[in-house]
């Protein structure tokens, strides 16, 4: 069996529904995880997505901000969400599904961006981000229940030197500061996670999933960052086949500043 999972920060699912539909028609993942849906649960576009064959939808929404959703061809069960930092924000949703004779727990995250100033003493948004990361460290890839784990989402950190267009110039820019990148590497280590994209990509190769709206010509400037991630528990690494960053989607009509990232598994 082949399993195809995509993560995409859509930056308003209702505003960008046409490109979500285009992506599902052209690329047909089994499961699509969305972040920043920016709508309440009852405002989510269930009908058009179900008409495309995605009958199973789990949504944790919020008016105007944040929000995460799992859109699936496969049945979803045991759904839950965690209120990290007790802020009431909708930044996490999880569900369990079956694939290839395996039970898999899927986590979909939208980690706080952290504002512009990388100083937690003067920027409460950055303090929130660091606290959120700290709380995520208790989440184990192997929960000891025989269920494999996949963690995806916009984690708003580009952890390695070649996950940004210029390591030196971004060391003091939120998403690539040492306190964030060290924190993410500690999160991966403590949780027993495997960063799949970097697992199969040399450290000296550039990987980007996000290009700022501020660039007049995002493609020519190519000042990207890898903010979107797909991690798994160690037991699923052998089933991982490949991944794709659909950079062309950054040039679609009314695009998100993030692009879809897809992982293939073979069981």
């Amino acid at each position: 069996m082949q399993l195809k999972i995509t993560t995409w920060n859509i930056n308003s699912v209702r505003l960008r529904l046409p490109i979500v539909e285009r992506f599902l028609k052209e690329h047909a993942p089994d499961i699509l995880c969305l972040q920043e849906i920016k709508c309440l649960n009852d405002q989510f576009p269930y009908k058009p997505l179900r008409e495309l064959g995605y009958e199973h939808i789990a949504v944790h929404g919020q008016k105007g901000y944040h929000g995460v959703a799992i859109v699936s061809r496969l049945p979803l069960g045991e759904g839950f969400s965690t209120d990290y930092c007790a802020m009431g924000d909708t930044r996490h949703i999880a569900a369990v599904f079956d694939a290839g004779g395996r039970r898999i727990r899927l986590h979909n995250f939208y980690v706080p961006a952290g504002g512009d100033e990388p100083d937690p003493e003067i920027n409460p948004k950055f303090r929130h981000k660091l606290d959120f990361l700290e709380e995520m460290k208790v989440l184990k890839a192997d929960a000891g229940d025989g269920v494999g784990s996949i963690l995806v989402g916009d984690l708003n950190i580009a952890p390695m030197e070649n996950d940004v267009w210029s390591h030196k110039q971004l060391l003091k820019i939120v998403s690539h500061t040492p306190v964030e990148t060290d924190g993410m590497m500690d999160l991966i280590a403590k949780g027993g996670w495997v960063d799949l994209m970097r697992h199969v990509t040399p450290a000296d190769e550039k990987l980007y999933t996000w290009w700022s709206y501020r660039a007049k010509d995002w493609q020519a400037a190519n000042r990207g960052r890898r903010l979107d991630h797909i991690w798994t528990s160690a037991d699923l690494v052998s089933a991982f086949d490949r991944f794709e960053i659909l950079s062309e989607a950054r040039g679609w009509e009314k695009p998100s500043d993030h692009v879809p990232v897809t992982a293939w598994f073979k069981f």
Side-chain angles (χ1 to χ4, degrees):
M1 175 187 176
Q2 177 176 275
L3 172 70
K4 189 176 179 182
I5 295 181
T6 300
T7 180
W8 193 4
N9 178 321
I10 196 59
N11 191 16
S12 178
V13 68
R14 292 180 294 172
L15 178 64
R16 304 191 206 285
L17 182 59
I19 63 172
V20 174
E21 293 175 315
R22 173 180 174 178
F23 176 76
L24 293 176
K25 289 173 184 176
E26 293 180 1
H27 297 272
D30 297 295
I31 300 175
L32 171 63
C33 292
L34 297 170
Q35 304 88 39
E36 268 202 289
I37 60 171
K38 295 184 177 180
C39 67
L40 294 167
N41 290 10
D42 61 2
Q43 298 171 322
F44 191 83
Y46 297 93
K47 184 179 178 181
L49 300 184
R50 285 180 171 143
E51 288 175 349
L52 291 174
Y54 293 84
E55 293 284 342
H56 311 281
I57 300 175
V59 181
H60 188 33
Q62 184 173 336
K63 184 178 180 180
Y65 296 95
H66 320 312
V68 285
I70 302 173
V71 178
S72 177
R73 294 182 186 275
L74 306 175
L76 301 172
E78 301 175 38
F80 68 95
S81 59
T82 303
D83 184 10
Y84 286 85
C85 300
M87 296 282 285
D89 293 339
T90 56
R91 295 183 176 274
H92 171 254
I93 192 168
V96 175
F97 65 94
D98 295 314
R102 297 291 307 269
R103 295 279 284 165
I104 299 172
R105 183 176 294 108
L106 175 62
H107 294 275
N108 181 13
F109 275 95
Y110 174 50
V111 170
D116 294 326
E117 179 59 53
D119 184 345
E121 300 305 317
I122 62 173
N123 179 7
K125 291 182 178 179
F126 195 66
R127 166 52 60 196
H128 178 208
K129 183 176 191 175
L130 298 183
D131 290 346
F132 195 103
L133 284 173
E134 196 62 33
E135 290 191 14
M136 280 182 71
K137 291 178 184 179
V138 305
L139 184 63
K140 304 301 181 185
D142 182 356
D145 56 1
V147 180
S149 294
I150 299 175
L151 186 156
V152 306
D154 174 7
L155 306 187
N156 264 313
I157 296 174
M160 300 183 71
E161 288 192 16
N162 286 299
D163 290 340
V164 294
W165 64 272
S166 173
H167 172 62
K168 289 183 179 180
Q169 294 184 67
L170 270 70
L171 276 172
K172 295 183 179 180
I173 302 298
V174 172
S175 80
H176 194 61
T177 65
V179 66
E180 295 170 272
T181 59
D182 290 349
M184 176 167 279
M185 299 312 290
D186 190 40
L187 190 167
I188 290 171
K190 286 184 175 176
W193 297 100
V194 178
D195 176 355
L196 291 185
M197 282 191 273
R198 279 299 173 194
H199 183 69
V200 296
T201 306
D204 61 355
E205 184 175 324
K206 294 286 189 182
L207 287 177
Y208 308 146
T209 66
W210 172 93
W211 290 263
S212 175
Y213 286 131
R214 296 176 184 176
K216 290 183 179 179
D217 187 336
W218 70 274
Q219 199 165 19
N222 200 28
R223 294 188 170 191
R225 307 179 201 177
R226 182 174 72 108
L227 302 180
D228 305 272
H229 295 257
I230 300 177
W231 303 348
T232 67
S233 49
D235 62 308
L236 294 180
V237 173
S238 62
F240 175 56
D241 184 42
R242 67 189 190 279
F243 75 92
E244 177 185 58
I245 299 170
L246 192 67
S247 56
E248 67 185 64
R250 182 61 179 80
W252 288 356
E253 187 174 357
K254 294 184 180 178
S256 172
D257 45 0
H258 297 254
V259 299
V261 181
T262 302
W264 283 258
F265 297 84
K266 289 183 178 179
F267 296 101

